[in-house]
Amino acid sequence: MKGIRQGCLALLTLVTMQASAACTWPAWEQFKKDYISDGGRVIDPSDARKITTSEGQSYAMFFALAANDREAFASLFNWTQNNLAAGDIKAQLPGWLWGKKEDNSWTVLDTNSASDGDVWIAWSLLEAGRLWDMPHYTERGKALLSRIAADEVVKVPGLGSMLLPGRVGFVDDAGWRFNPSYLPPQLASYFVRFGAPWDALQATNLRLLLETAPKGYSPDWVRFDKKKGWQLKQDKSLVGSYDAIRVYMWTGMLNDADPHKARLLAKFKPMATQTEKTGLPPEKIDIATGKVEGNGPVGFSATLLPFLQNRDAQAVQRQRVADNFPGNDAYYSYVLTLFGQGWDQHRFRFTARGELLPDWGQECANSH
């Protein structure tokens, strides 16, 4: 009997350990050690000023939510609000860049906002409020979304309501500049429930994605001219690279029930074809001609895991990520890898309405 009891105890211990392991996200735990300060600041070490961006804070908030890591989420949000939004995110958009000045003081280095970080912070707050039943997050998420609508959304004749990349600097007398990677389609779907201008933005954001990729590749930045519309003629500034790589990832992460997913996958198929042909995603693409140049870093391979529809092609990129996982000196490649590999490992999904479907499981829910 004693042997049976010991055997059962050993089995129970093993099951408990496995359940516990399933709850942790090792790549996220390592990211916290390598990139996040004790106070909740995401540090990009590639810059001598040891910078922090609103984008970095927003992505880390998303990963903390997906990992059911309430402590990290609270720390990240509090740092963001206190240091980037002057203590009140309901009253002020976060400044996009924070770091060390020449006089060795630490402060906001650029007070302009970055809407890609802003929408992820708003969405993460709203979803944290819903999933964790924490109304103060919901309240702040709604207030931030209203602030974004007031300060970063503009009406463009011939297009409609559009999300500017930031509060200032993207509009002139002749037109507007946009970044197709800034508003993921699933977030656009999620925000529709809040009415104007978000209900209109979903359609115009789709137009931005579909109409600015003449050869099936998305640009980092694109101009809409008041008189001539999209400026898609060959130009050295019209390239797809470190920003645009996210467009393919957001597309791949769309729920299969999303009515626009198939259309977007078909539009961007040249990226899949090119990657399958060479085994590596291109680093830069001339948007007007479709000419590719160089090989993207390992984070690019991770972003394409949700996007590639061919299992063999996925396996090639999955192996590259496993063999070349980013270290503690590659902030951007690491966050792209957390997104792409995290999705590939089924750590999270999005519903057709843009809500988070976390893979917490019953054991995980009980362990926090």
Side-chain angles (χ1 to χ4, degrees), residues 29 70 151 168 173 225 227 291 331:
E29 294 301 323
R70 298 188 189 205
D151 294 352
V168 296
D173 292 341
D225 187 275
K227 293 178 180 171
K291 186 175 177 237
Y331 152 77

Side-chain angles (χ1 to χ4, degrees), residues 184-197:
Q186 40 277 85
L187 269 59
S189 296
Y190 184 88
F191 295 147
V192 163
R193 68 195 69 192
F194 297 101

Side-chain angles (χ1 to χ4, degrees), residues 24-46 51-67 69 72-73 75-77 80 299 325-342 345 347:
T24 60
W25 183 358
W28 163 242
E29 294 301 323
Q30 191 61 45
F31 182 83
K32 286 196 290 183
K33 285 179 190 159
D34 289 346
Y35 290 97
I36 304 180
S37 75
D38 290 343
R41 175 167 92 90
V42 179
I43 302 163
D44 181 351
S46 67
I51 59 167
T52 292
T53 60
S54 57
E55 167 212 277
Q57 295 298 115
S58 75
Y59 288 169
M61 284 172 65
F62 168 77
F63 301 137
L65 179 62
D69 191 340
F73 188 94
S75 173
L76 287 156
F77 173 62
T80 303
F325 200 88
N328 61 4
D329 58 350
Y331 152 77
Y332 190 59
S333 216
Y334 204 127
V335 292
L336 293 181
T337 302
L338 279 172
F339 268 121
Q341 188 193 58
Q345 293 174 343
R347 296 188 182 278

Side-chain angles (χ1 to χ4, degrees), residues 154-165 170 174-181 201-215 217-235 237-238 263 267 287-288:
V154 65
K155 280 203 171 164
V156 178
L159 275 178
S161 292
M162 292 286 289
L163 181 70
L164 287 171
F170 300 97
W176 301 261
R177 259 179 105 218
F178 298 108
N179 188 313
S181 72
L201 260 161
Q202 186 183 26
T204 54
N205 190 58
L206 186 67
R207 282 188 63 185
L208 170 65
L209 293 168
L210 292 168
E211 294 175 10
T212 61
K215 299 289 182 185
Y217 295 102
S218 190
D220 288 342
W221 295 92
V222 66
R223 230 184 119 71
F224 189 85
D225 187 275
K226 276 184 180 175
K227 293 178 180 171
K228 302 173 190 168
W230 299 117
Q231 298 299 288
L232 299 171
K233 287 186 181 147
Q234 195 171 7
D235 181 282
S237 68
L238 194 66
R263 193 175 169 195
K267 180 69 181 177
I287 298 309

Side-chain angles (χ1 to χ4, degrees), residues 6-205:
Q6 284 177 328
C8 290
L9 191 61
L11 184 61
L12 182 64
T13 303
L14 180 64
V15 169
T16 305
M17 283 170 63
Q18 287 175 335
S20 171
C23 302
T24 60
W25 183 358
W28 163 242
E29 294 301 323
Q30 191 61 45
F31 182 83
K32 286 196 290 183
K33 285 179 190 159
D34 289 346
Y35 290 97
I36 304 180
S37 75
D38 290 343
R41 175 167 92 90
V42 179
I43 302 163
D44 181 351
S46 67
D47 190 299
R49 299 170 296 173
K50 295 286 185 282
I51 59 167
T52 292
T53 60
S54 57
E55 167 212 277
Q57 295 298 115
S58 75
Y59 288 169
M61 284 172 65
F62 168 77
F63 301 137
L65 179 62
N68 201 17
D69 191 340
R70 298 188 189 205
E71 189 181 339
F73 188 94
S75 173
L76 287 156
F77 173 62
N78 290 335
W79 190 93
T80 303
Q81 177 163 251
N82 291 334
N83 294 277
L84 301 184
D88 187 1
I89 210 158
K90 295 191 286 187
Q92 183 173 319
L93 289 174
W96 82 273
L97 184 64
W98 194 94
K100 193 176 186 180
K101 284 175 73 176
E102 287 180 5
D103 64 5
N104 286 335
S105 63
W106 295 84
T107 186
V108 173
L109 301 174
D110 189 336
T111 57
N112 199 10
S113 61
S115 61
D116 60 336
D118 297 340
V119 294
W120 272 110
I121 293 169
W123 179 92
S124 295
L125 286 167
L126 289 161
E127 282 296 88
R130 179 180 72 87
L131 290 163
W132 290 333
D133 191 22
M134 297 177 82
H136 69 286
Y137 284 150
T138 306
E139 179 200 347
R140 280 160 180 77
K142 282 182 179 174
L144 176 55
L145 202 61
S146 296
R147 178 67 48 198
I148 295 166
D151 294 352
E152 293 177 325
V153 174
V154 65
K155 280 203 171 164
V156 178
L159 275 178
S161 292
M162 292 286 289
L163 181 70
L164 287 171
R167 197 163 35 83
V168 296
F170 300 97
V171 184
D172 58 45
D173 292 341
W176 301 261
R177 259 179 105 218
F178 298 108
N179 188 313
S181 72
Y182 269 36
L183 180 58
Q186 40 277 85
L187 269 59
S189 296
Y190 184 88
F191 295 147
V192 163
R193 68 195 69 192
F194 297 101
W198 302 102
D199 45 0
L201 260 161
Q202 186 183 26
T204 54
N205 190 58

